[in-house]
């Protein structure tokens, strides 16, 4: 039951910032050792540590910071790792100062035994290093800390280590002894490469050992569960009455498996996070998942991306989401909702005043679906920070509605409308909409049939924003002169302009009226005074 599964569609290349390489992690440890042992403002105030103490502390600090950031990355919708890197650095700095303030540490003290609040809540994590099988002898050694009397472990992560049957039997009594204190359990990717019969038995053992625990968070992702796997965890799932977070990503959740999930989870009244990314749920499976959503009135974060859901399933999910009035993050990317699903979704979005992040790329919305959604979001979600509607066949016909929506979102920090057909007309309207947005950090209008005029106005709209990070207008039809103009606009901050290597200055349809630069300038002139909010 290998957890690897190809993406349903290929995606444009993007740079992954997380995880850092082993070499990078070692360099950071050496830097922290130096900070703990050499003269600085902080060591003058709190004192230095010995080389031995500094090395031990630095390794533990890096380990804790990496774990914290890696867990954040797993839940990051856009998944580029940028925020994980920032969290990694922030946690290292915080823990480094804590160690200096504490002074030389005793051998029995452990950085991971303290949470941010200073309590004894502890994470036990064996997911580091290479993905590998784990057998009985190694399990005995690895799990020793969990057997120590009086330990305060309330969070365990067994991810990235594939448990065989004998290793599972070693873990069984240990987990059973801890289940009354456990709050978060991560069993993602823990049976990879095992034969189906063995994998199912391992899952049964873990489920029985943890049955009756009162968990807040359960992660069973990347296990290629299918219906058999979901039912193997039945004892654990049925016993959960207070779950707040449930992750079933990349689990082979088919129609039958989705029905099993709906059947086996008795209570989702406290559920805040529900994630089903990269499954083969389909329309019928979406109907089953909709039942779970309907029973989750406190849901704040719902992810059902890349799940092969069509129009019928999209309508069912949308109707279910109307009951989730606390929703903050919604990710439905890479499905086939179509216009009908988009219109149904727009009705649900009118109920979600607290939305901060909306990911609706690659849903085949077309102009009608996109316009319906934009018109609703314009009147709701005042705190919206992220809006993604890439790859939806949106043309300039829907640009006025999109622009009006965007103009109303003053807290917007990220806008992605790539892989549509907005052309210069749409790009200029979007440019007008974002002019007053001081929080904006990233705009992506790549692959939108944009020419010189649209590119120039977009560049001028973002260049003066102090916190702006990236404009991506690659893959368009910008002339060589237009490229030079855009680069000149960004000459003081070239790092804020994305690559332009896929731009095609010769591209465009034969019937385009803008063959010459004069026509592009005329279009810009006609649209530059357009007021956002105008609609035909």
């Amino acid at each position: 039951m290998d957890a690897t599964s190809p993406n349903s569609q290929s995606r444009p290349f993007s740079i992954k910032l997380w995880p850092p390489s082993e070499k990078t992690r070692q360099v950071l440890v050496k830097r922290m050792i130096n900070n703990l042992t050499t003269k600085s403002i902080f060591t003058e105030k709190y004192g230095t540590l010995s080389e031995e103490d500094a090395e031990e502390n630095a390794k533990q600090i890096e380990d804790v910071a990496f774990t914290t950031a890696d867990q954040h990355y797993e839940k990051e919708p856009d998944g580029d790792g940028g925020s994980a890197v920032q969290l990694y650095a922030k946690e290292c700095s915080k823990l480094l100062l804590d160690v200096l303030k504490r002074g030389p540490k005793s051998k029995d003290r452990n950085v991971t035994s303290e949470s941010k609040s200073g309590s004894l809540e502890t994470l036990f994590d064996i997911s580091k290093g290479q993905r590998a099988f784990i057998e009985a002898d190694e399990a005995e050694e690895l799990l020793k800390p969990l057997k120590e009397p009086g330990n305060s472990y309330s969070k365990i992560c067994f991810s990235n280590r594939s448990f065989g049957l004998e290793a599972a039997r070693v873990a069984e009594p240990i987990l059973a002894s801890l289940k009354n204190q456990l709050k978060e359990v991560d069993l993602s990717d823990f049976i990879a490469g095992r034969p189906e019969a063995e994998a199912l038995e391992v899952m049964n053992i873990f489920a029985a050992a943890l049955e009756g625990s009162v968990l807040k968070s359960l992660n069973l992702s990347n296990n290629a569960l299918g219906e058999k796997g979901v039912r193997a965890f039945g004892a654990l799932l049925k016993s959960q009455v207070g779950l707040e977070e449930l992750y079933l990503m990349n689990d082979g959740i088919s129609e039958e498996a989705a029905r099993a999930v709906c059947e086996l989870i008795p209570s989702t009244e406290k559920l805040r996070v529900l994630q089903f990314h990269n499954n083969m749920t389909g329309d019928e499976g979406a109907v089953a998942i909709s039942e779970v959503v309907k029973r989750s009135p406190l849901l704040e974060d719902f992810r059902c991306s890349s799940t092969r859901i069509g129009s019928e399933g999209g309508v069912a999910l949308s109707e279910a989401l109307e009951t989730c009035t606390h929703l903050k993050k919604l990710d439905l990317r890479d499905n086939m909702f179509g216009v009908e699903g988009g219109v149904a979704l727009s009705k649900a979005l009118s109920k979600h005043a607290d939305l901060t992040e909306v990911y609706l790329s690659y849903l085949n919305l077309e102009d009608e679906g996109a316009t319906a959604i934009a018109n609703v979001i314009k009147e709701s979600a005042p705190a919206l920070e992220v809006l993604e509607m890439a790859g939806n066949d949106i043309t300039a016909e829907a640009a006025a509605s999109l622009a009006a929506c965007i103009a109303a979102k003053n807290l917007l920090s990220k806008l992605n409308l790539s892989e549509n057909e907005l052309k210069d007309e749409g790009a200029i309207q979007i440019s007008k909409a974002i002019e007053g947005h001081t929080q904006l950090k990233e705009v992506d209008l790549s692959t939108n049939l944009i020419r010189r005029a649209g590119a120039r106005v977009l560049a001028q709209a973002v260049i003066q924003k102090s916190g702006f990070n990236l404009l991506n207008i690659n893959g368009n039809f910008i002339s060589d002169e237009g490229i030079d103009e855009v680069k000149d606009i960004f000459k003081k901050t070239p790092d804020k302009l994305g690559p332009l290597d896929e731009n095609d200055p010769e591209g465009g349809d034969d019937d385009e009226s803008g063959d010459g630069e004069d026509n592009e300038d005329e279009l810009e002139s006609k649209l530059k005074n357009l007021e956002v909010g105008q609609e035909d």
Side-chain angles (χ1 to χ4, degrees):
M1 299 182 74
D2 197 338
T4 56
S5 174
N7 290 330
S8 57
Q9 295 183 25
S10 61
R11 288 281 173 262
F13 172 78
S14 61
I15 297 174
K16 293 291 184 182
L17 302 177
W18 190 266
S21 67
E22 193 62 34
K23 181 179 178 181
T24 299
R25 296 179 65 183
Q26 290 173 0
V27 168
L28 181 58
V29 169
K30 289 179 181 178
R31 189 178 303 160
M32 287 193 289
I33 292 172
N34 185 62
N35 289 338
L36 293 168
T37 57
T38 58
K39 186 176 179 180
S40 69
I41 295 174
F42 296 109
T43 55
E44 282 185 352
K45 183 175 182 179
Y46 301 113
T48 59
L49 273 63
S50 68
E51 284 285 344
E52 182 182 359
D53 269 357
E55 182 177 359
E56 185 177 354
N57 273 286
K59 288 179 178 178
Q60 290 179 345
I61 288 169
E62 191 282 329
D63 190 54
V64 173
F66 179 87
T67 298
T68 301
D70 199 49
Q71 289 180 330
H72 171 83
Y73 174 68
E74 286 296 324
K75 302 174 185 179
E76 202 175 33
D78 53 3
D80 67 353
S83 59
V85 172
Q86 292 178 359
L87 181 59
Y88 181 48
K90 182 179 178 181
E91 286 295 298
C92 282
S93 297
K94 173 188 173 296
L95 292 171
L96 191 69
L97 184 58
D98 287 346
V99 167
L100 283 171
K101 288 179 178 179
R102 189 175 64 208
K105 78 180 190 67
S106 304
K107 293 294 182 182
D108 60 345
R109 291 165 74 180
N110 192 313
V111 175
T112 59
S113 67
E114 294 185 348
S115 69
K116 294 178 182 178
S117 64
S119 69
L120 291 176
E121 193 173 24
T122 304
L123 169 68
F124 180 80
D125 187 355
I126 62 170
S127 66
K128 303 295 186 299
Q130 295 293 319
R131 190 183 192 205
F133 280 19
I134 178 172
E135 304 302 340
D137 291 346
E138 187 181 1
E140 286 276 8
E141 187 63 29
L142 276 175
L143 304 184
K144 269 184 181 179
L146 295 177
K147 298 169 71 175
E148 292 177 2
N151 77 72
S152 55
Y153 292 112
S154 61
K155 307 173 186 178
I156 59 170
C157 178
F158 286 2
S159 180
N160 203 41
R161 306 302 296 271
S162 179
F163 279 75
L165 192 53
E166 295 306 315
R169 287 174 177 150
V170 170
E172 182 178 15
I174 298 173
L175 293 176
S177 71
L178 293 174
K179 67 181 177 182
N180 290 332
Q181 68 190 58
L182 291 176
K183 299 300 179 187
E184 298 182 15
V185 171
D186 185 346
L187 299 178
S188 59
D189 193 21
F190 87 122
I191 43 92
R194 300 289 180 178
E196 182 180 287
E198 182 181 18
L200 290 171
E201 192 164 353
V202 167
M203 287 186 267
N204 273 304
I205 290 172
F206 272 78
L210 293 167
E211 182 181 4
S213 54
V214 184
L215 301 179
K216 290 184 177 180
S217 177
L218 177 61
N219 190 345
L220 301 178
S221 300
N222 301 316
N223 284 312
L225 297 176
E227 182 187 7
K228 291 180 182 178
V230 171
R231 294 196 179 281
F233 275 112
L236 173 59
L237 293 172
K238 285 180 179 179
S239 69
Q240 297 308 302
V241 294
L243 266 184
E244 296 179 12
E245 300 181 8
L246 177 61
Y247 303 91
L248 293 168
M249 297 182 286
N250 193 30
D251 267 333
I253 302 294
S254 61
E255 172 189 335
E256 295 78 14
R259 287 176 179 156
V261 170
C262 182
E263 170 195 334
L264 294 171
I265 302 179
S267 174
T268 57
E269 292 178 358
K270 296 181 179 180
L271 203 62
R272 295 182 299 102
V273 179
L274 181 59
Q275 300 202 356
F276 280 96
H277 169 69
N278 198 28
N279 284 297
M280 47 186 185
T281 312
D283 281 344
E284 293 301 319
V287 172
I289 297 304
S290 297
E291 294 302 314
V292 179
V293 172
K294 284 178 185 177
R295 303 198 304 257
S296 308
L298 300 182
L299 201 61
E300 296 178 4
D301 181 346
F302 180 58
R303 187 180 187 188
C304 200
S305 49
S306 302
T307 46
R308 307 183 188 181
I309 297 174
S311 180
E312 180 184 349
V315 170
L317 270 181
S318 298
E319 291 174 351
L321 285 167
E322 290 187 35
T323 64
C324 305
T325 56
H326 299 279
L327 205 63
K328 295 179 180 179
K329 295 171 68 174
L330 177 63
D331 187 351
L332 299 172
R333 285 176 286 191
D334 192 20
N335 284 298
M336 297 169 283
F337 278 33
V339 172
E340 185 180 358
V343 172
L345 181 59
S346 71
K347 297 175 183 177
L349 291 173
S350 66
K351 312 287 186 182
H352 302 149
D354 296 331
L355 276 173
T356 59
E357 300 179 30
V358 177
Y359 302 90
L360 304 177
S361 297
Y362 309 106
L363 291 179
N364 298 334
L365 295 176
E366 301 181 15
D367 285 343
E368 184 179 347
T371 297
I373 288 170
N375 288 341
V376 168
I377 293 179
K378 174 188 172 185
E379 303 299 332
S380 59
L384 191 68
E385 297 175 12
V386 178
L387 178 61
E388 293 199 6
M389 296 178 71
N392 275 306
D393 296 322
I394 303 171
T395 74
E397 293 294 320
S401 294
L402 280 174
C405 171
I406 292 163
K409 305 301 153 191
N410 293 324
L411 299 179
L412 200 65
S413 64
K414 181 178 180 181
L415 175 65
N416 183 356
L417 297 173
S418 63
E419 296 186 57
N420 285 302
E421 300 174 12
L422 290 171
K423 299 185 178 180
D424 277 1
E425 181 182 349
I428 291 171
Q429 292 185 69
I430 300 301
S431 299
K432 289 286 292 182
I434 61 176
E435 280 182 354
H437 287 34
T438 58
Q439 305 297 314
L440 198 61
K441 299 187 185 313
E442 184 176 337
V443 173
D444 190 346
L445 264 79
S446 58
T447 318
N448 258 290
L449 312 180
I450 296 170
R451 296 174 180 272
R452 178 182 179 182
R456 182 171 60 234
V457 176
L458 277 168
Q460 291 167 339
V462 301
I463 192 61
Q464 300 300 328
K465 300 182 188 299
S466 58
F468 192 77
N469 293 331
L470 182 66
L471 173 65
N472 185 0
I473 50 174
N474 205 6
N476 283 301
F477 299 154
I478 310 167
S479 65
D480 291 335
E481 293 84 355
I483 293 292
D484 290 340
E485 286 177 348
V486 170
K487 287 183 176 179
D488 187 60
I489 292 170
F490 281 90
K491 63 184 176 183
K492 293 183 179 179
T493 54
D495 57 313
K496 295 183 179 182
L497 178 63
L500 294 165
D501 55 306
E502 294 182 6
N503 180 65
D504 181 7
E506 306 297 328
D509 298 330
D510 292 338
D511 62 348
E512 281 289 325
S513 61
D515 288 339
E517 301 299 344
D518 290 341
N519 292 19
E520 292 189 4
D521 291 337
E522 182 182 353
L523 172 62
E524 181 181 354
S525 177
K526 287 180 178 178
L527 293 174
K528 68 180 180 180
N529 295 319
L530 180 72
E531 291 296 327
V532 172
Q534 287 183 359
E535 296 184 40
D536 293 335

